[in-house]
Amino acid sequence: MAVATDREFGLFIGGESAEPAAGDVRGLTEPATGEPLARAAMAGEVDVDRAVDAARAAIEGEWGRTPGTERARLLHALADAIVANRAELAELEARNVGKAISSVKAELHQAVENFRYYGSAIATIGGRANPIGGSLLFYSLKEPVGVAAQIVPWNYPLMMATWKLAPALAAGCSVVLKPDAQTPLTAIRLGEMATEVGFPPGAVNVVPGDGPTTGAYLVKHPGVDKVAFTGSTKTGGEIMRLASDPVKRVTLELGGKSPNLVFADADLDSALPSSAWSIFYAAGQSCEARSRMLVEKPLYDEAVATMAELAAGIKVGDPLDPETQMGSLVSQAHRERVHGFVERATDGEVVAGGALPDGAGAFYPPTVVATTNDTEIAQEEVFGPVVTVIPFDDEKDAIRIANDVRYGLMATVWTGDPARGHRIAARIKSGTVGINMPYTAFPGIPFGGYKQSGFGRELGLETLDLYLETKSVIVGTGARPINPFGL
Ligand code: NAD
């Protein structure tokens, strides 16, 4: 594979590559090797102003007049462009994030399907009509919210961008997308591809930059109508505050500490390897990573030992090797943070991993910690390849522990008793519950949080409504004049 990382990645504003006004161009490092990767422009306030102006002009111009059928065609064309450029996108993403290319390929597949799903879902956009009392007729119009600011994190730069872009564009909004400063490359390519397939200038703008400065300026911008944010719960709270003056529509996809409940009656040949996958894929840098494995007590010692064996067998290494199952973490700084959690976990026992490997790459081994639910490592989002294994007594205790955390994004239940699976699904406070399967996100299935994991949903039909206004039109149809004062 050879991808053109020697080019400079500009900002993407108004349908073309743009230089940053303040000349901020940074060298990005490849996390798995510590070597230079590419040079990328970072946006400042002037660039955000230009991007918001371009997005506004698009809504008031050609993009705002583009009918649903044409928007659908464009979304499908963008899906085709991702397919055509998949080798380049996969390599860029794997090298920029350090993530195993086998994972990235699955993410790319979902990115494609997501544009196709929303391309087709445009057909569902429509209002209602209703006669009221014989003399009034009500009908509703669905209109795009306007300019959407979309802020995404570094863990799935391409997939998160597509989760956000597809429903917004389907609804007819224009977008100013801000990727994380560390991982801008595939989002910039997506902006370029959108223009190549025919999206009018300004429909998609991409302005990578630092969160507390460029991101905050974008969120506060009076030209922005809606803010869709994916990131940490702490930053999510700050986004709500920033989006309050002037008031904007806000949706938040935030952190998680998702439970994975294993009952002694489960099919352990699936449950245990799947449990390992559901924390260690993407090196645990997933919002819904099942980082709390809750195990019924008679099975606990066996499950801890098996998880340690499975963790030790995971192929960690070069992200570009198709056999690699886990690449590096996103940066050395993030690795320090992850390792800090493990070092402080003195209440528990580290039964696999937990040691910093030698070498320049930001690698961290799959790590298993036997502990209880009241420890820092069980309660806080580590966001790395670290699973806590926690014992429970019975079904009631399992539900109590599963819910005893501030997050509520995802939960998985492994049991041989189907009725128990449904009972637990109804009682766990999380946006998604998986029963005897570890997968999470599919176009068409709403994904999002309860509690401190945020609000709003992605990937579902519901998401379209979050980018649409409902306008009620009421028409007088009575035979007599309307004269409420009797004048
Ligand atoms: P983060 O909150 O630090 O950053 C996320 C994004 O917000 C980045 O683009 C960053 O530049 C920007 N940002 C930071 N401060 C900002 C501010 N004051 N104003 C505006 N923008 C700001 O999160 P992170 O560490 O990059 O990402 C990991 C987090 O994202 C984890 O908590 C993870 O669970 C969460 N996440 C959630 C989902 C989901 O769908 N629920 C998906 C992926 C990741």
Side-chain angles (χ1 to χ4, degrees):
M1 270 181 275
V3 89
T5 54
D6 49 353
R7 60 166 278 199
E8 197 169 291
F9 289 75
L11 311 173
F12 195 76
I13 299 175
E16 54 191 24
S17 184
E19 306 236 331
D24 184 0
V25 179
R26 299 186 197 165
L28 304 177
T29 303
E30 201 165 334
T33 61
E35 298 292 321
L37 172 63
R39 292 179 58 71
M42 296 294 145
E45 296 187 357
V46 173
D47 307 304
V48 169
D49 286 340
R50 284 161 62 204
V52 173
D53 287 351
R56 176 65 55 198
I59 282 280
E60 284 168 8
E62 187 185 343
W63 178 238
R65 292 190 299 273
T66 304
T69 46
E70 176 62 6
R71 296 202 305 275
R73 192 192 66 74
L74 287 167
L75 283 163
H76 283 287
L78 189 49
D80 293 340
I82 296 173
V83 173
N85 293 283
R86 63 188 180 279
E88 178 209 350
L89 289 168
E91 187 185 331
L92 270 186
E93 189 87 333
R95 291 178 65 187
N96 197 177
V97 187
K99 192 184 288 184
I101 200 149
S102 50
S103 301
V104 174
K105 283 183 176 163
E107 291 157 27
L108 264 164
H109 179 72
Q110 200 197 89
V112 171
E113 292 305 309
N114 201 39
F115 280 114
R116 296 210 190 288
Y117 174 76
Y118 282 107
S120 305
I122 287 173
T124 68
I125 298 176
R128 320 186 263 125
N130 203 13
I132 303 162
S135 61
L136 295 174
L137 168 67
F138 151 78
Y139 67 90
S140 62
L141 300 173
K142 290 284 187 181
E143 297 176 355
V145 161
V147 174
Q150 303 188 318
I151 298 182
V152 292
W154 48 260
N155 60 338
Y156 293 92
L158 180 83
M159 203 173 72
M160 290 294 110
T162 66
W163 281 23
K164 293 253 180 288
L165 280 172
L169 295 171
C173 290
S174 57
V175 172
V176 179
L177 175 72
K178 194 204 79 62
D180 191 278
Q182 300 170 86
T183 53
L185 304 184
T186 47
I188 291 287
R189 286 293 292 123
L190 213 50
E192 292 172 350
M193 283 175 204
T195 296
E196 281 158 24
V197 302
F199 279 89
V204 179
N205 306 278
V206 188
V207 288
D210 295 325
T213 49
T214 303
Y217 185 76
L218 174 62
V219 174
K220 282 188 294 193
H221 204 293
V224 165
D225 301 298
K226 182 211 157 96
V227 179
F229 172 79
T230 297
S232 64
T233 296
K234 187 162 187 294
T235 310
E238 175 67 1
I239 299 286
M240 281 183 88
R241 198 181 67 73
L242 293 169
S244 65
D245 185 19
V247 165
K248 301 183 179 72
R249 286 129 197 83
V250 179
T251 46
L252 302 175
E253 296 290 340
L254 308 177
K257 194 74 193 176
S258 297
N260 178 59
L261 286 62
V262 184
F263 286 86
D265 65 3
D267 170 6
L268 299 181
D269 290 343
S270 322
L272 299 182
S274 278
S275 300
W277 179 86
S278 70
I279 172 67
F280 295 129
Y281 81 94
Q285 302 167 120
S286 291
C287 49
E288 44 28 271
R290 266 43 58 78
S291 50
R292 287 188 305 142
M293 182 173 175
L294 315 187
V295 182
E296 198 165 6
K297 270 188 183 152
L299 184 66
Y300 185 73
D301 290 343
E302 182 192 338
V304 168
T306 307
M307 288 300 283
E309 255 174 60
L310 294 169
I314 289 174
K315 294 191 190 83
V316 182
D318 177 4
L320 295 181
D321 181 341
E323 298 296 312
T324 293
Q325 292 170 320
M326 213 181 92
S328 74
L329 302 191
V330 74
S331 66
Q332 292 287 354
H334 186 56
R335 179 169 84 155
E336 290 304 317
R337 185 178 172 276
V338 168
H339 189 53
F341 279 106
V342 177
E343 283 188 312
R344 291 192 297 278
T346 47
D347 292 346
E349 187 190 354
V350 178
V351 296
L356 284 175
D358 294 332
F363 289 93
Y364 199 76
T367 296
V368 181
V369 183
T371 188
T372 50
N373 196 50
D374 54 357
T375 54
E376 183 202 30
I377 201 158
Q379 289 289 319
E380 297 299 323
E381 191 180 34
V382 175
F383 224 54
V386 180
V387 66
T388 53
V389 192
I390 297 162
F392 67 80
D393 289 323
D394 54 20
E395 189 176 313
K396 196 168 162 219
D397 196 36
I399 294 167
R400 179 188 65 76
I401 298 173
N403 286 333
D404 183 15
V405 73
R406 67 187 170 124
Y407 299 108
L409 196 54
M410 167 86 198
T412 305
V413 186
W414 297 95
T415 175
D417 175 352
R420 166 149 66 195
H422 296 298
R423 260 193 322 267
I424 291 178
R427 296 190 57 194
I428 286 198
K429 299 206 181 322
S430 67
T432 305
V433 180
I435 302 176
N436 293 332
M437 70 96 229
Y439 306 119
T440 320
F442 299 87
I445 300 183
F447 179 80
Y450 277 36
K451 303 194 310 192
Q452 296 297 299
S453 292
F455 52 85
R457 289 293 179 269
E458 304 214 83
L459 294 172
L461 269 188
E462 293 82 347
T463 316
L464 272 180
D465 231 28
L466 301 172
Y467 287 96
L468 291 164
E469 296 284 11
T470 300
K471 179 183 283 172
S472 297
V473 182
I474 310 172
V475 187
T477 55
R480 275 178 258 148
I482 292 175
N483 182 3
F485 274 163
L487 300 173

